Amino acid sequence: DQQVKQNSPSLSVQEGRISILNCDYTNSMFDYFLWYKKYPAEGPTFLISISSIKDKNEDGRFTVFLNKSAKHLSLHIVPSQPGDSAVYFCAASPINGGATNKLIFGTGTLLAVQP
Amino acid sequence: DAGITQSPRHKVTETGTPVTLRCHQTENHRYMYWYRQDPGHGLRLIHYSYGVKDTDKGEVSDGYSVSRSKTEDFLLTLESATSSQTSVYFCATLGNSGNTEAFFGQGTRLTVV
């Protein structure tokens, strides 16, 4: 059973416009959420994260929003650039303090930013 | 970036043979993970480790075993490779101080023929 879901396999956006990538989770024990970006033939790289005590975190062009009641988070990229074209993974981690610190990923969304 | 090295980077093996993938880190990170990436499935956790000799199963652990005899090395073994284990395998490490981002290796592309 997929605990972290990204229901849009792909997204195409014009350069300069906003890209919105969505992620849903089912496990209420998750309290830390991350977004990763992956180019072909490379490992995923960390982009931005958010703790469950916040509902928004911003870093330059990237903003992550968290709606705990809906178990939903989204990544906004403004303005989108061709170099943002990549696969984006959402990930979630359960409450810190446990021994495991398990990190669960979604299925990914392929973003294509058209020049 | 964390110093994470995966070896080999590419491997072709025959069905039924054992295969071991190695992940080596130089950051003294406590947590280490093995994931596989497949189209339509994203990154799925195979096994993870939360310390030397401390490991546990992830989402898709059947057919895989791991070992961590020292902090810097985390080995993934396919006991008897099958075609369904053809995939790209990623190792990741996580620092010691609470929630933070995990760092990934560059991946190992494994083909089982």
Side-chain angles (χ1 to χ4, degrees):
Chain A
D1 186 29
Q2 194 80 25
Q3 298 184 65
V4 179
K5 302 176 184 179
Q6 295 176 255
N7 292 319
S8 298
S10 63
L11 175 67
S12 182
V13 171
Q14 286 295 120
E15 182 178 4
R17 307 293 290 268
I18 184 171
S19 296
I20 300 176
L21 296 95
N22 294 303
C23 178
D24 298 293
Y25 61 97
T26 58
N27 191 339
S28 58
M29 296 296 286
F30 289 147
D31 77 331
Y32 191 66
F33 305 90
L34 308 92
W35 284 94
Y36 281 79
K37 178 178 178 180
K38 185 183 180 305
Y39 293 117
E42 295 183 9
T45 55
F46 170 75
L47 195 56
I48 192 169
S49 63
I50 187 166
S51 166
S52 61
I53 62 173
K54 295 184 175 182
D55 54 18
K56 177 183 174 181
N57 188 27
E58 190 172 351
D59 184 2
R61 297 186 297 114
F62 302 92
T63 303
V64 55
F65 295 92
L66 175 62
N67 181 335
K68 283 178 290 184
S69 61
K71 294 190 176 67
H72 176 83
L73 63 155
S74 61
L75 174 68
H76 293 210
I77 306 173
V78 182
S80 301
Q81 299 174 354
D84 296 329
S85 298
V87 176
Y88 288 78
F89 289 101
C90 167
S93 179
I95 291 172
N96 189 33
T100 60
N101 244 355
K102 194 185 295 190
L103 195 57
I104 303 297
F105 282 80
T107 51
T109 297
L110 174 62
L111 173 66
V113 180
Q114 309 297 333
Chain B
D1 286 347
I4 303 171
T5 306
Q6 290 185 232
S7 58
R9 293 293 313 281
H10 302 272
K11 185 169 182 68
V12 179
T13 192
E14 292 186 350
T15 299
T17 61
V19 177
T20 295
L21 308 183
R22 181 183 184 234
C23 178
H24 178 79
Q25 56 132 335
T26 58
E27 301 297 316
N28 198 36
H29 284 172
R30 175 183 176 187
Y31 302 96
M32 297 186 75
Y33 308 84
W34 276 108
Y35 291 89
R36 59 178 289 176
Q37 185 192 7
D38 304 288
H41 292 281
L43 290 161
R44 291 182 293 175
L45 182 63
I46 305 171
H47 280 280
Y48 60 99
S49 170
Y50 46 95
V52 173
K53 293 187 168 54
D54 291 323
T55 65
D56 204 350
K57 296 178 180 180
E59 306 164 275
V60 290
S61 59
D62 287 348
Y64 301 94
S65 62
V66 290
S67 66
R68 190 157 177 215
S69 58
K70 45 187 178 177
T71 299
E72 56 265 35
D73 288 326
F74 193 32
L75 304 181
L76 176 71
T77 297
L78 287 65
E79 293 140 10
S80 177
T82 68
S83 58
S84 65
Q85 293 176 311
T86 292
S87 186
V88 180
Y89 292 85
F90 288 100
C91 171
T93 71
L94 187 67
N96 306 322
S97 54
N99 282 329
T100 183
E101 64 268 24
F103 296 95
F104 281 80
Q106 292 196 300
T108 295
R109 181 172 293 277
L110 177 69
T111 303
V112 183
V113 298

